[in-house]
Amino acid sequence: MSSWGNLLRISIFGESHGLGIGVVIDGLPAGRRIDFEAVSVQMTRRAPGQGSAVTPRREPDVPKVLSGLKDNVTTGAPLCCVIENTNVRSGDYSDISNTPRPSHADYAARERFGEACDMRGGGHFSGRLTAPLTFAGTVCRQILADYGVHIGGHLYSVGGVADTPFDPVNLSPALLDSLSLRNFAVINPSAETAMREHIEAARQSGDSAGGIIEAAAVNVKPGLGSPMFLGVENALASLLFGIPGVKGVEFGTGFGICGMRGSAANDAFIVDENNHITTATNHSGGIQGGISNGMPIIVRVAFKPTPSIALPQNTVSLDTQQETTVQIRGRHDPCIAVRAVPVVEAALAMGLLELYLRG
Amino acid sequence: MSSWGNLLRISIFGESHGLGIGVVIDGLPAGRRIDFEAVSVQMTRRAPGQGSAVTPRREPDVPKVLSGLKDNVTTGAPLCCVIENTNVRSGDYSDISNTPRPSHADYAARERFGEACDMRGGGHFSGRLTAPLTFAGTVCRQILADYGVHIGGHLYSVGGVADTPFDPVNLSPALLDSLSLRNFAVINPSAETAMREHIEAARQSGDSAGGIIEAAAVNVKPGLGSPMFLGVENALASLLFGIPGVKGVEFGTGFGICGMRGSAANDAFIVDENNHITTATNHSGGIQGGISNGMPIIVRVAFKPTPSIALPQNTVSLDTQQETTVQIRGRHDPCIAVRAVPVVEAALAMGLLELYLRG
Amino acid sequence: MSSWGNLLRISIFGESHGLGIGVVIDGLPAGRRIDFEAVSVQMTRRAPGQGSAVTPRREPDVPKVLSGLKDNVTTGAPLCCVIENTNVRSGDYSDISNTPRPSHADYAARERFGEACDMRGGGHFSGRLTAPLTFAGTVCRQILADYGVHIGGHLYSVGGVADTPFDPVNLSPALLDSLSLRNFAVINPSAETAMREHIEAARQSGDSAGGIIEAAAVNVKPGLGSPMFLGVENALASLLFGIPGVKGVEFGTGFGICGMRGSAANDAFIVDENNHITTATNHSGGIQGGISNGMPIIVRVAFKPTPSIALPQNTVSLDTQQETTVQIRGRHDPCIAVRAVPVVEAALAMGLLELYLRG
Amino acid sequence: MSSWGNLLRISIFGESHGLGIGVVIDGLPAGRRIDFEAVSVQMTRRAPGQGSAVTPRREPDVPKVLSGLKDNVTTGAPLCCVIENTNVRSGDYSDISNTPRPSHADYAARERFGEACDMRGGGHFSGRLTAPLTFAGTVCRQILADYGVHIGGHLYSVGGVADTPFDPVNLSPALLDSLSLRNFAVINPSAETAMREHIEAARQSGDSAGGIIEAAAVNVKPGLGSPMFLGVENALASLLFGIPGVKGVEFGTGFGICGMRGSAANDAFIVDENNHITTATNHSGGIQGGISNGMPIIVRVAFKPTPSIALPQNTVSLDTQQETTVQIRGRHDPCIAVRAVPVVEAALAMGLLELYLRG
């Protein structure tokens, strides 16, 4: 299903090549002013058309709010936002209904929905659906700001090129805020240069690159989340795996913790200079037993290389059940991770707001 | 919350030191015979007391079914299973209410629930709660077997010691079945020896070790799952992060795919010798766009080192807000990953059955 | 929340005086053709402007589908339908923000959402929100038709005037189909005349009238629904009480059964002329233990008199906390039950489809 | 499903003739002391064996709490309560697997679950399942008491005999409290005499009687509930229809409001002697637009006559598909409404606590 949450209920709709895409957000607290300039910043970060590292398609992605706001203030009623599809070239996708693109949803979706499935441009599985997700998450993030929460992310690595990782103990809200304004979000400027080169090299050879996004939320109150299946990790993972291209999610030191001994991996409790209880290290990524402990919440998300590449690829003709090749035309990001940073931030905000609303 | 699912609704209850633990499973199809010998095998795999790699506590963990079965056949009514707690030594945990154990849920849970929280032995956050989870998952697995699905897992790595990984393309049901009977589940026998040595070394130094479990399901029909937030990955991750100690979940090539180019990462469709459509590689782990494609579903789960170690650790006295140390007595596995293999398999079964029931 | 369901997830949005209202329907089976002429019939039945028994406002209520359909066939992706608000006169409602209208949601909603609540024209509580509900239910009804289910309703009574009630045992699909095309749905034509007179008399005195709608579904398979909280009655009631103005819901003989003895109230099983098992009477309304038994499902729904009346009414000024009066201008149905028949039918369809999809 | 709720998740299990029945309550706030004497009062009110108006079976119904409490205080972890079945006579029900009892769930359940369904004594559909429901509701009621909410109910009518109805405007907490201690809950003592005579007459002729329960909650804060599908009415109705034998639910003046004019039915706002905003009448039953307005919440629930009667009844042999008769032995209440008063109160408490927890 394309809906998520309980106190906060998010319902996303739309296809790449339909009239429009959008989202209904039910359960927003009333009386919160939405800053549409800040929304626009995030929509632009996610939108294509910002350089050769991303697709040359230009979509204005102007969110039109039909309900739930009065004078830009939430009324408590469901907020519906629609984004028109204005730049659709259906012809580019004529092949795919019969020859599923490798590592796209084409084949699996057809098994799921049959021939009625509309997979032009990826249909409802298109990365374009991250636009309403970004909108919804940005609204949530503004409400979380009232609780003091700051959220931001960066490209932890692209190909083999690594950015400076977050300091999981001393992670400043200011760093997250500044990253969250950047279209190519890295901490170390030289990493940007090297990552862009890596992506451009992939693009020029008709290929694509993967990447890892690291994101964080700071000033999250301790005691957020519930045991077992509604922990912070469960909630965030159930959202993050909804972003197209995600193949892995880890918190804190993540898979890296498996090679450590407990004496090194355990986060000792200390009393900090402000007499607050905190931890000396943060291998837990701010979450213990599924519940937040007040330390920065740290998550890393693995994005596969864009499956849409210009090189010809082997596939099967569904009509004839014979092997054949498919060549994907159209315009595609060589590295979806670049534009996915605001989407990951949005998912974090949605997940955390649901948990905050649970009190 | 400790409940999960919609068509299949699992509700887990109990604390380490209460009268009993258990699970209610609502939504099971009627008319399915439960093989309690096979259940017992999985309960035993999960149970402590199988050697020095695991805790010396011995708990019979006999599941008593109160409802939902008639002559061992499901009736369609909710199945409730209770497991008594018979081997409780409360005295062992007298320290922890005031001095939270590092990287345990003690501190976070207290922030969540206040002083009323019962954290003796980890309370509701205890690894012991994986017993009813294993029971529920094993019941689900037996029902999935009617659809032809086989599930199994192994210790992918412990410390730096790696087992032979699954072949993601040619993964035989027989291998999964045989792994799923083993208490120390590895493919390569020499890996077991090295892993046991690594764990024993940790134990002898009062420390603990982490590990990665790789699990798989084969013969899963293509077309399982729904877009965005009810994909196979979302469903499984929302369960897997409910297992104590899990810090990361990845599917297919997972984080490793981020360093690949699309031309290498994409799974080309081919026609196999039986004239079925399949893929030449399986970096997707059997899931594309959140939907199964018929290939083996592969997941890897990161378990942190057991946070309960014998060495003294730094913590804070909640009463005095002063730093102090805590030494954990009691009996604990030096590597929780070992006994977590059947738990991961159980979580897979629960997640997949929910999706199968959705049709 | 304005969303409902699990396998079928309906999310309704919009306010009376916003840009538009609509609904997202997630979980529709793929490959079903939607007949928009039939949809239009139901939208028109619900729409105002059909005579003096209903409000003279005319709203075209043309549903615009943004997603989820290709060539009018469901794709399996969420279907979003938007209806523009084109005939809004905000000035008519200037009083109500300070002087809550008796028996409207004004006061309760303000307590719920605070001053940010937008109650012009009833806001999100407006009867206008039954337009997307009717749309969604009509789509569901078309899918239910594939299972052979027929749904229809009529005005069981208005004021003291009663229509011929349904025969709960022999209820023909043809009768339901024909009622479901009528704007003023009664079985006995002379009842229409008397009801219209009753309503007109109320209108002319600046007042309003209540009514009871009886609706039914026939050819519903036996075995639909689940025990306790997901029975047919629970599911339908949880929807029906979402229609503005509903104060009671009863199934079968309903409250009337309380005065009967068991020997008269029990529905004896018989074998009918087609050798099918059926019941001689149908006091159960087709539902026993929450589960359908194959007999007609019969429900009656109590609608209160339109709270918007032309007569001056006592209320309180929220500013001054002093008693005062309010006079409601604007255009309102003297009897909302008349136009609510297709809405009740829609709710039935939504509820039954959710249960059918559960298998 | 036999589970309900989101913030509060109730999962009921058990069959009439299994080892035990019970409930898991997840989401209870931590730190609340449970008064088990008060629980016992409600369990006893519901339990059979209190005189000729109810069944002579005696079941101690002692709830045994396995988890979620420490020293009778909620810990925040799921609370599981088990009630053993100690007084089972399976032989009494040998007929019913082949000859479904009229107006019981036997036939419908068999269509739903097939032959595996265990319908001895009504199986999971048995009225006995109201014991854990009463337990859960009583726990919820104790927590609601911290918010000042009082809940109580009475037999509004049995057969043609009516009790004094609630005054919907001036309804004292003391009256509700005192009713909630009574096994035969009526306001007017002479009504009890007449009702008992009516029931006894039915019983002596091998028959049964129906009844209506009126229940109320006072001191409920205004602003409880959410629009459309999570209003107070939706939430309560979705629970109340889960009680065996319920065929109708109405709020405030209910079906009676349909014959009124708006000018009489509307609840004018007034300022009371304490300068609080209230309403002069309460036809709305404390709920407008689905949201509480601070007035007493009033609900009436229709219970059908006990379907288990001693008289022989017509039914069908499922084996032979021939008509036959069935005679129900065993011990049954001649009027289930009598013992259902605490069950209705329990359902109210569960529904209201879920809404309170939503904030």
Side-chain angles (χ1 to χ4, degrees):
Chain A
M1 310 290 272
S2 303
S3 53
W4 187 91
N6 267 308
L7 268 83
L8 186 73
R9 209 160 296 179
I10 308 273
S11 192
I12 291 178
F13 59 87
E15 292 93 30
S16 176
H17 283 55
L19 289 182
I21 61 179
V23 60
V24 178
I25 319 172
D26 199 355
L28 286 174
R32 308 299 178 102
R33 180 170 301 280
I34 304 305
D35 175 349
F36 276 90
E37 285 198 38
V39 169
S40 179
V41 168
Q42 299 306 322
M43 298 302 279
T44 300
R45 289 177 80 205
R46 191 218 67 87
Q50 304 145 13
S52 65
V54 295
T55 163
R57 282 179 299 160
R58 298 188 168 280
E59 299 165 4
D61 281 357
V62 180
K64 182 179 176 187
V65 173
L66 299 186
S67 66
L69 289 184
K70 188 179 175 189
D71 304 331
N72 285 355
V73 173
T74 57
T75 63
L79 189 161
C80 177
C81 159
V82 172
I83 302 166
E84 282 184 48
N85 287 333
T86 55
N87 190 9
V88 171
R89 298 194 213 162
S90 282
D92 286 353
Y93 300 94
S94 47
D95 287 347
I96 68 168
S97 59
N98 187 43
T99 49
R101 296 167 297 176
S103 288
H104 269 273
D106 302 352
Y107 176 76
R110 188 176 167 130
E111 290 291 319
R112 172 71 173 81
F113 295 118
E115 298 197 9
C117 191
D118 175 11
M119 291 305 287
R120 290 170 297 162
H124 185 58
F125 296 86
S126 165
R128 178 150 175 71
L129 271 292
T130 57
L133 199 157
T134 299
F135 174 85
T138 305
V139 168
C140 295
R141 182 209 296 244
Q142 293 188 14
I143 292 170
L144 280 173
D146 296 345
Y147 300 106
V149 175
H150 293 250
I151 290 172
H154 70 121
L155 287 163
Y156 179 84
S157 72
V158 167
V161 185
D163 189 20
T164 307
F166 281 150
D167 176 341
V169 175
N170 297 301
L171 184 53
S172 78
L175 174 63
L176 298 183
D177 292 351
S178 90
L179 285 169
S180 199
L181 296 171
R182 301 194 51 179
N183 286 359
F184 198 106
V186 289
I187 296 171
N188 177 354
S190 67
E192 176 171 351
T193 311
M195 286 177 180
R196 285 190 182 275
E197 284 170 6
H198 179 91
I199 295 168
E200 180 62 14
R203 192 188 66 78
Q204 288 194 355
S205 55
D207 216 329
S208 64
I212 299 173
I213 291 172
E214 184 177 52
V218 298
N219 290 350
V220 174
K221 70 169 183 184
L224 201 73
S226 286
M228 300 207 77
F229 306 121
L230 201 65
V232 176
E233 293 152 317
N234 312 66
L236 294 182
S238 73
L239 281 161
L240 289 165
F241 278 114
I243 304 173
V246 171
K247 298 307 285 184
V249 170
E250 62 177 14
F251 294 89
T253 301
F255 279 87
I257 208 168
C258 303
M260 300 171 73
R261 289 207 165 176
S263 54
N266 284 357
D267 297 317
F269 290 102
I270 57 170
V271 178
D272 72 8
E273 62 268 30
N274 303 315
N275 273 327
H276 292 140
I277 296 174
T278 177
T279 60
T281 52
N282 186 17
H283 296 295
S284 303
I287 307 161
Q288 291 170 335
I291 316 290
S292 68
N293 67 356
M295 292 296 286
I297 289 178
I298 312 273
V299 62
R300 273 178 302 283
V301 186
F303 281 84
K304 69 180 180 184
T306 318
S308 294
I309 58 176
L311 293 168
Q313 299 179 80
N314 293 325
T315 185
V316 169
S317 161
L318 300 180
D319 284 351
T320 64
Q321 300 270 318
Q322 298 294 311
E323 296 185 355
T324 178
T325 58
V326 63
Q327 188 157 10
I328 300 173
R329 288 181 289 270
R331 305 141 294 170
H332 299 285
D333 282 14
C335 178
I336 49 176
V338 176
R339 291 203 288 128
V341 176
V343 184
V344 167
E345 293 170 7
L348 250 68
M350 284 168 53
L352 293 178
L353 184 55
E354 163 79 20
L355 297 180
Y356 263 92
L357 293 178
R358 286 178 168 260
Chain B
M1 309 290 270
S2 303
S3 53
W4 186 90
N6 269 308
L7 268 85
L8 186 73
R9 209 161 297 180
I10 309 273
S11 192
I12 291 178
F13 58 87
E15 292 93 30
S16 176
H17 283 55
L19 290 181
I21 61 179
V23 60
V24 179
I25 319 172
D26 199 356
L28 287 175
R32 307 299 178 102
R33 180 169 301 280
I34 304 304
D35 175 349
F36 276 91
E37 285 198 36
V39 168
S40 180
V41 168
Q42 299 306 321
M43 299 302 280
T44 301
R45 289 177 79 204
R46 191 219 67 87
Q50 303 147 13
S52 64
V54 295
T55 161
R57 283 178 298 160
R58 296 187 170 281
E59 300 166 2
D61 282 356
V62 179
K64 182 179 175 186
V65 173
L66 300 186
S67 66
L69 289 184
K70 188 180 175 188
D71 304 332
N72 285 354
V73 174
T74 58
T75 63
L79 189 162
C80 177
C81 159
V82 172
I83 302 166
E84 282 185 47
N85 286 334
T86 54
N87 191 10
V88 171
R89 297 194 214 162
S90 281
D92 286 355
Y93 300 93
S94 47
D95 288 348
I96 68 168
S97 59
N98 186 44
T99 50
R101 295 167 298 176
S103 288
H104 268 274
D106 302 351
Y107 176 76
R110 189 176 167 128
E111 290 291 319
R112 173 72 173 78
F113 295 118
E115 296 197 9
C117 193
D118 176 12
M119 292 304 288
R120 290 171 296 163
H124 185 58
F125 295 85
S126 165
R128 178 148 174 72
L129 271 291
T130 57
L133 200 156
T134 299
F135 174 85
T138 305
V139 169
C140 295
R141 182 209 297 244
Q142 293 188 15
I143 292 171
L144 280 172
D146 295 345
Y147 301 106
V149 175
H150 293 250
I151 291 172
H154 69 120
L155 288 163
Y156 180 84
S157 72
V158 166
V161 185
D163 189 20
T164 306
F166 281 150
D167 176 341
V169 175
N170 296 303
L171 183 53
S172 79
L175 174 62
L176 298 182
D177 292 351
S178 90
L179 285 170
S180 200
L181 295 172
R182 301 194 51 181
N183 287 358
F184 198 105
V186 289
I187 297 172
N188 178 354
S190 66
E192 177 172 349
T193 310
M195 286 177 181
R196 285 190 182 275
E197 286 170 4
H198 179 90
I199 295 168
E200 180 62 16
R203 193 186 67 77
Q204 290 194 351
S205 54
D207 215 330
S208 64
I212 299 173
I213 291 172
E214 184 177 54
V218 299
N219 288 351
V220 173
K221 72 171 180 182
L224 201 72
S226 285
M228 301 207 77
F229 306 120
L230 201 64
V232 176
E233 293 152 316
N234 313 65
L236 294 182
S238 73
L239 282 161
L240 290 165
F241 278 114
I243 304 173
V246 171
K247 298 306 287 183
V249 170
E250 63 177 11
F251 294 89
T253 301
F255 280 87
I257 209 169
C258 303
M260 299 170 74
R261 289 207 164 174
S263 55
N266 285 356
D267 296 319
F269 291 102
I270 58 171
V271 178
D272 72 9
E273 63 268 28
N274 302 315
N275 272 327
H276 292 141
I277 296 174
T278 178
T279 60
T281 52
N282 187 18
H283 297 295
S284 303
I287 307 160
Q288 292 170 333
I291 316 289
S292 68
N293 67 356
M295 293 294 286
I297 290 179
I298 312 273
V299 62
R300 272 178 304 281
V301 186
F303 281 84
K304 69 179 181 185
T306 318
S308 295
I309 58 175
L311 293 169
Q313 300 180 78
N314 293 325
T315 186
V316 169
S317 161
L318 299 181
D319 284 350
T320 63
Q321 301 270 318
Q322 299 293 312
E323 297 185 352
T324 179
T325 59
V326 63
Q327 189 158 8
I328 300 173
R329 289 183 288 271
R331 304 141 297 171
H332 300 283
D333 282 15
C335 179
I336 49 176
V338 175
R339 293 202 288 127
V341 176
V343 184
V344 167
E345 293 171 8
L348 250 68
M350 284 167 52
L352 293 177
L353 183 56
E354 163 80 20
L355 298 180
Y356 263 93
L357 293 179
R358 286 178 169 262
Chain C
M1 310 290 272
S2 301
S3 54
W4 186 92
N6 267 308
L7 267 82
L8 187 71
R9 208 160 297 181
I10 308 274
S11 192
I12 291 179
F13 59 86
E15 292 94 29
S16 177
H17 283 54
L19 290 181
I21 61 179
V23 60
V24 178
I25 319 171
D26 198 357
L28 287 174
R32 307 299 178 101
R33 180 170 302 280
I34 304 304
D35 175 349
F36 276 91
E37 285 198 36
V39 169
S40 179
V41 168
Q42 299 306 323
M43 298 302 280
T44 300
R45 290 177 78 205
R46 191 218 67 87
Q50 304 148 13
S52 64
V54 295
T55 162
R57 280 177 301 159
R58 297 185 170 283
E59 300 165 4
D61 282 356
V62 180
K64 182 179 174 187
V65 173
L66 300 186
S67 66
L69 290 183
K70 187 179 174 187
D71 305 331
N72 287 354
V73 174
T74 58
T75 62
L79 189 161
C80 176
C81 159
V82 172
I83 302 165
E84 281 185 47
N85 287 334
T86 54
N87 190 11
V88 172
R89 298 195 214 161
S90 281
D92 285 356
Y93 299 95
S94 46
D95 288 348
I96 68 168
S97 59
N98 187 43
T99 50
R101 296 167 297 177
S103 288
H104 268 274
D106 301 352
Y107 176 75
R110 188 177 168 128
E111 290 290 320
R112 172 72 172 80
F113 294 119
E115 298 197 9
C117 193
D118 176 11
M119 291 304 288
R120 290 171 297 163
H124 185 59
F125 295 85
S126 166
R128 179 150 175 70
L129 270 292
T130 58
L133 199 156
T134 300
F135 174 86
T138 305
V139 168
C140 294
R141 183 209 294 245
Q142 293 188 14
I143 292 170
L144 280 173
D146 295 345
Y147 301 106
V149 176
H150 293 250
I151 291 171
H154 71 119
L155 287 162
Y156 179 84
S157 73
V158 167
V161 186
D163 190 20
T164 307
F166 281 149
D167 177 341
V169 175
N170 297 301
L171 184 53
S172 79
L175 174 62
L176 298 183
D177 292 351
S178 91
L179 284 169
S180 199
L181 296 172
R182 301 193 51 181
N183 286 358
F184 197 107
V186 289
I187 297 171
N188 178 353
S190 67
E192 175 171 351
T193 311
M195 287 177 182
R196 285 190 181 277
E197 285 169 5
H198 179 90
I199 295 168
E200 180 61 14
R203 192 187 67 79
Q204 289 193 354
S205 55
D207 215 330
S208 64
I212 299 173
I213 291 172
E214 184 177 54
V218 299
N219 289 351
V220 173
K221 71 169 181 184
L224 201 71
S226 286
M228 301 207 79
F229 307 119
L230 201 64
V232 177
E233 293 152 316
N234 313 65
L236 294 182
S238 72
L239 281 161
L240 290 164
F241 278 113
I243 303 173
V246 171
K247 297 307 285 185
V249 170
E250 63 177 13
F251 294 89
T253 301
F255 279 88
I257 208 169
C258 303
M260 299 173 74
R261 289 207 165 177
S263 56
N266 284 357
D267 297 317
F269 290 102
I270 57 171
V271 177
D272 73 9
E273 62 269 29
N274 302 313
N275 272 327
H276 291 141
I277 297 175
T278 177
T279 61
T281 52
N282 187 18
H283 297 294
S284 304
I287 305 160
Q288 291 169 336
I291 315 290
S292 68
N293 67 357
M295 293 294 286
I297 289 178
I298 312 273
V299 62
R300 274 177 302 283
V301 187
F303 281 84
K304 69 179 182 185
T306 319
S308 296
I309 59 176
L311 293 169
Q313 299 180 81
N314 293 325
T315 188
V316 168
S317 161
L318 300 181
D319 284 350
T320 64
Q321 300 270 319
Q322 298 294 311
E323 296 186 352
T324 179
T325 59
V326 64
Q327 190 157 9
I328 300 173
R329 288 183 288 271
R331 304 141 295 171
H332 300 283
D333 281 16
C335 178
I336 49 175
V338 176
R339 293 201 287 127
V341 177
V343 185
V344 167
E345 294 170 7
L348 251 68
M350 283 166 53
L352 294 178
L353 183 55
E354 163 79 20
L355 298 180
Y356 262 92
L357 293 179
R358 286 179 169 261
Chain D
M1 311 289 273
S2 302
S3 54
W4 186 91
N6 268 309
L7 267 82
L8 186 72
R9 208 161 296 180
I10 308 274
S11 191
I12 291 178
F13 59 87
E15 292 94 29
S16 176
H17 284 54
L19 290 182
I21 61 178
V23 59
V24 178
I25 319 171
D26 198 355
L28 287 174
R32 308 299 178 102
R33 181 170 301 280
I34 304 305
D35 175 349
F36 275 90
E37 285 197 38
V39 168
S40 179
V41 168
Q42 299 305 322
M43 299 301 281
T44 300
R45 291 176 78 203
R46 191 218 67 85
Q50 304 145 13
S52 65
V54 295
T55 162
R57 280 178 301 158
R58 297 188 170 280
E59 299 166 5
D61 282 358
V62 180
K64 181 179 175 187
V65 174
L66 299 186
S67 65
L69 290 183
K70 188 180 173 187
D71 304 331
N72 286 354
V73 173
T74 57
T75 62
L79 189 161
C80 178
C81 159
V82 171
I83 301 165
E84 281 185 48
N85 287 332
T86 55
N87 190 9
V88 171
R89 299 195 213 161
S90 281
D92 285 354
Y93 299 95
S94 48
D95 286 350
I96 68 169
S97 60
N98 187 43
T99 50
R101 296 167 297 176
S103 288
H104 268 274
D106 303 352
Y107 176 76
R110 189 176 166 128
E111 290 291 319
R112 173 71 172 81
F113 295 117
E115 299 197 8
C117 193
D118 175 10
M119 291 305 286
R120 291 171 297 162
H124 185 58
F125 295 85
S126 166
R128 178 149 174 71
L129 271 291
T130 58
L133 200 156
T134 300
F135 174 85
T138 305
V139 168
C140 294
R141 182 208 295 244
Q142 293 189 13
I143 292 171
L144 280 172
D146 296 344
Y147 301 107
V149 176
H150 293 250
I151 291 172
H154 70 121
L155 287 162
Y156 179 84
S157 73
V158 166
V161 186
D163 189 20
T164 307
F166 281 150
D167 176 341
V169 174
N170 297 302
L171 184 53
S172 78
L175 174 61
L176 298 183
D177 292 351
S178 91
L179 285 169
S180 200
L181 296 172
R182 302 194 50 180
N183 286 358
F184 198 106
V186 290
I187 297 171
N188 177 354
S190 67
E192 176 171 350
T193 312
M195 286 176 182
R196 284 189 183 277
E197 284 169 6
H198 180 90
I199 295 168
E200 180 62 15
R203 193 186 66 80
Q204 289 194 352
S205 55
D207 216 330
S208 63
I212 298 173
I213 291 171
E214 184 177 54
V218 299
N219 288 351
V220 174
K221 70 170 183 183
L224 201 73
S226 285
M228 302 207 79
F229 306 120
L230 200 64
V232 176
E233 293 152 316
N234 312 65
L236 294 183
S238 73
L239 281 162
L240 290 164
F241 279 114
I243 304 173
V246 171
K247 297 307 286 185
V249 171
E250 64 178 12
F251 294 89
T253 301
F255 279 88
I257 209 169
C258 304
M260 300 171 74
R261 288 207 166 177
S263 55
N266 284 355
D267 297 318
F269 290 101
I270 58 171
V271 178
D272 72 9
E273 61 269 30
N274 301 314
N275 272 326
H276 292 142
I277 296 175
T278 177
T279 62
T281 53
N282 186 17
H283 297 295
S284 304
I287 306 161
Q288 291 169 335
I291 316 288
S292 68
N293 67 356
M295 293 294 286
I297 289 178
I298 312 273
V299 62
R300 273 178 303 283
V301 186
F303 280 84
K304 69 180 182 184
T306 318
S308 294
I309 57 177
L311 294 169
Q313 299 180 81
N314 293 325
T315 186
V316 169
S317 161
L318 299 181
D319 284 350
T320 64
Q321 299 270 319
Q322 298 293 313
E323 296 184 353
T324 180
T325 58
V326 64
Q327 188 157 9
I328 299 174
R329 288 181 289 271
R331 305 142 295 170
H332 299 283
D333 282 14
C335 179
I336 49 175
V338 176
R339 293 202 287 127
V341 177
V343 185
V344 167
E345 293 170 8
L348 250 68
M350 283 167 53
L352 293 179
L353 183 56
E354 163 79 20
L355 298 180
Y356 262 92
L357 292 180
R358 287 180 168 261

